[in-house]
Amino acid sequence: DSLNNTNWVFSTAFYYVGGWTAYSAELLVNANFETALGAEWIKTGAGSGVLQRYATLGDIAGPQNGANFVAHATTTDNSSGCYQDVNLSAYAGEIAAGNAQIRASGYLQASDHYYDDTRLRVIFYDSSSNAISASTYDSAWILSGPDTWTQYGVDNYPVPTNAVRARLWAQFSHPGLQAGAFDNASCKIRTKVVSDWDASGNWSLTSGGAPGAGIPASTNDVIFDSNSGDCSLDANAICQSISSVG
């Protein structure tokens, strides 16, 4: 069959990413480890006494950001870690209504030694200090290299409706050798607001992606999903189709 006389119309999907506040200011204290580890970062594990700040260490040439990073470097203890808890009480109403999302991450680097274990976890806790296991993020153990900083964590991640605090926890394990490093941690939160259809900054070409795609036209499919907030029809809504998923 010939396609020469066929008029093809390709539709571009527009995802609604409006309806959210900008992410909050940084909620972690000393997130880049530029000052000595104080009460804000809790050291854990048998090797907690050897978890220290460094500018360079062995095959880790330098920090991911700033002047320092935190690393496990020992020949006697085989595990360590550090975590910081973020109190979410300021967002209690939005969280209980299911209207809060979190962006929590950190950069990890494992050394070249065989069986180096490094991982990042994001854990939510309820008012009884029970971990909400169904919502826990775990990067899984990262084994031996490569010698590059890699970001792990969650973005636009729904905060459980019964969460009162969130924990960002880096863990290291190795039987007697340098296990890895942690740097440039971050934890921020955003909440739902009502936003306008007729605003180019509320639309993206991907789910949860960069805003600014423009305003949907008659040839565009419109999608509302888990990354969409509330939308106000401040103008005539024009699109080819509209769907709600997730």
Side-chain angles (χ1 to χ4, degrees):
D1 293 336
S2 174
L3 301 179
N4 293 338
N5 296 321
T6 302
N7 293 320
W8 292 91
V9 177
F10 296 93
S11 175
T12 299
F14 273 54
Y15 291 82
Y16 185 72
V17 294
W20 293 96
T21 63
Y23 271 99
S24 68
E26 183 58 63
L27 299 176
L28 296 176
V29 178
N30 193 18
N32 290 326
F33 309 107
E34 296 307 290
T35 59
L37 293 178
E40 71 280 349
W41 286 104
I42 307 299
K43 295 181 181 181
T44 62
S48 62
V50 295
L51 189 72
Q52 303 293 339
R53 292 188 309 143
Y54 298 91
T56 61
L57 178 66
D59 49 20
I60 301 174
Q64 195 280 329
N65 185 63
N68 298 284
F69 58 88
V70 165
H72 171 110
T74 177
T75 58
T76 56
D77 298 310
N78 65 6
S79 66
S80 68
C82 63
Y83 70 81
Q84 186 171 153
D85 284 347
V86 174
N87 187 329
L88 302 176
S89 60
Y91 306 93
E94 292 91 345
I95 290 172
N99 293 333
Q101 292 183 341
I102 200 168
R103 173 181 288 168
S105 66
Y107 285 80
L108 300 177
Q109 184 176 163
S111 73
D112 282 338
H113 301 295
Y114 189 56
Y115 283 140
D116 284 338
D117 297 342
T118 305
R119 73 176 181 179
L120 184 71
R121 306 179 75 196
V122 179
I123 308 172
F124 298 94
Y125 293 87
D126 63 21
S127 58
S128 298
S129 295
N130 296 313
I132 306 171
S133 57
S135 297
T136 295
Y137 164 81
D138 192 330
S139 68
W141 289 107
I142 303 155
L143 308 180
S144 64
D147 296 335
T148 57
W149 289 103
T150 303
Q151 186 178 28
Y152 297 90
V154 295
D155 193 21
N156 300 341
Y157 193 76
V159 179
T161 56
N162 57 334
V164 299
R165 59 188 169 97
R167 174 173 296 179
L168 190 70
W169 193 358
Q171 296 175 301
F172 313 101
S173 180
H174 193 290
L177 290 171
Q178 174 188 333
F182 177 42
D183 198 15
N184 202 7
S186 182
C187 184
K188 301 179 180 181
I189 197 168
R190 69 177 184 174
T191 57
K192 278 187 179 180
V193 294
V194 177
S195 193
D196 294 335
W197 175 288
D198 195 31
S200 62
N202 288 335
W203 298 97
S204 176
L205 299 181
T206 58
S207 177
I215 301 169
S218 59
T219 57
N220 298 125
D221 298 316
V222 165
I223 300 173
F224 288 81
D225 62 10
S226 60
N227 289 311
S228 304
D230 295 333
C231 180
S232 171
L233 295 178
D234 63 319
N236 291 331
I238 300 173
C239 61
Q240 177 170 270
S241 69
I242 188 168
S243 59
S244 178
V245 298

